Amino acid sequence: MAKNRAKDAGKAATATLGWWKAHRFLLLRRSCQLMIIGLFMIGPTWGVLRGNLSSSSLFGTVPLTDPLILLQTMAAGHMPELMAIVGALIVVVCYAVVAPRAFCAWVCPLNMVTDLAAWLRRKLSIKASYRWPSNLRYWLIPVLLLGSAISGTVLWNWIDPVAALHRGLIFGMGASWILILLVFLLDLLLVEHGWCGHLCPLGATYGVIGRYGLIRVTATDREACTKCMDCFNVCPEPEVLRQPLKAGDRKVMSQECISCGRCIDVCPEKVLEFKIRIGAKNEG
């Protein structure tokens, strides 16, 4: 079978499997992201989820803390409260068990912006202007910690588009829209998957945390693969699909995978599915 055009990714799956099966994980992710935003909005009234993505509480009892923010707080010379430390441990354990970078695909509101940029890039056949190393985001973590130590402040709070968008959706955008627009234009015009795939230190943090996560995209029927390239065209981290579709372990073991399930959606041959990782070695 010939390779499909990037702009046509998902059309064959829609025709073969039906609209719902060709979009189910995309719709489930959007529902999850919007539900979390909604819970934060009604937090002051109903008390289900109060705070923000950096620090919040569930039902006023269970603390939840962004682990990257906690590390920067400590690097800045401030001792976090015990509940903040407990909240970070809860978040780390949860995402370590579930799946690699599940936060990025199922919680992060900026994912909706970067997905839109990727969709427009495919539909308009826009080619990337630049190529950046994907490990750049990992280098940004020590840079942020060093910057926080030198400045005595949580440096990421000033430049974090994820938190800016979250605050903007709940309290009003203000000037935050400029930062969000820059991320959108970066992904659309300059670097393919520029933010999530190359720059975001928060995504890198959750990649490290979830590298041994249990739920994995798996090429259970890779013999049926026709090499149409639809999964590669929609995947934010397409390199993670090469190994499981060729030989060896059928599971995507790379920590770069964001566990979005979009590759599963667009495959008309149903080559891929989510499976529980049992006894597989990490290869990411």
Side-chain angles (χ1 to χ4, degrees), residues 258-272:
I258 71 170
S259 305
C260 67
R262 195 70 185 112
C263 58
I264 301 174
D265 282 345
V266 302
C267 181
E269 287 77 26
K270 297 191 284 188
V271 171
L272 301 157

Side-chain angles (χ1 to χ4, degrees), residues 226-249:
T226 61
K227 297 179 174 58
C228 71
M229 299 301 289
D230 277 6
C231 58
F232 282 85
N233 288 328
V234 301
C235 181
E237 304 276 358
E239 290 299 318
V240 307
L241 293 171
R242 295 190 183 279
Q243 177 267 322
L245 287 174
K246 289 185 177 180
D249 196 338

Side-chain angles (χ1 to χ4, degrees), residues 135-163:
N135 62 358
L136 182 60
R137 54 191 159 188
Y138 293 100
W139 286 103
L140 286 177
I141 296 176
V143 169
L144 287 174
L145 295 178
L146 180 60
S148 296
I150 294 173
S151 65
T153 63
V154 179
L155 193 62
W156 187 231
N157 273 345
W158 297 95
I159 54 176
D160 180 8
V162 176

Side-chain angles (χ1 to χ4, degrees), residues 53-56 64-72 84 87-88 91 156 160 202 205-206:
L53 289 178
S54 298
S55 178
S56 58
L64 301 169
T65 307
D66 179 348
L68 183 58
I69 293 293
L70 182 75
L71 289 175
Q72 289 179 85
V91 170
W156 187 231
D160 180 8
L202 187 57
T205 302
Y206 280 109

Side-chain angles (χ1 to χ4, degrees), residues 244-262:
L245 287 174
K246 289 185 177 180
D249 196 338
R250 295 172 184 257
K251 295 180 179 64
V252 175
M253 296 305 296
S254 172
Q255 67 188 42
E256 312 301 351
C257 176
I258 71 170
S259 305
C260 67
R262 195 70 185 112

Side-chain angles (χ1 to χ4, degrees), residues 125-139:
S125 300
I126 299 174
K127 302 300 181 182
S129 301
Y130 301 96
R131 287 190 176 275
W132 291 346
S134 60
N135 62 358
L136 182 60
R137 54 191 159 188
Y138 293 100
W139 286 103

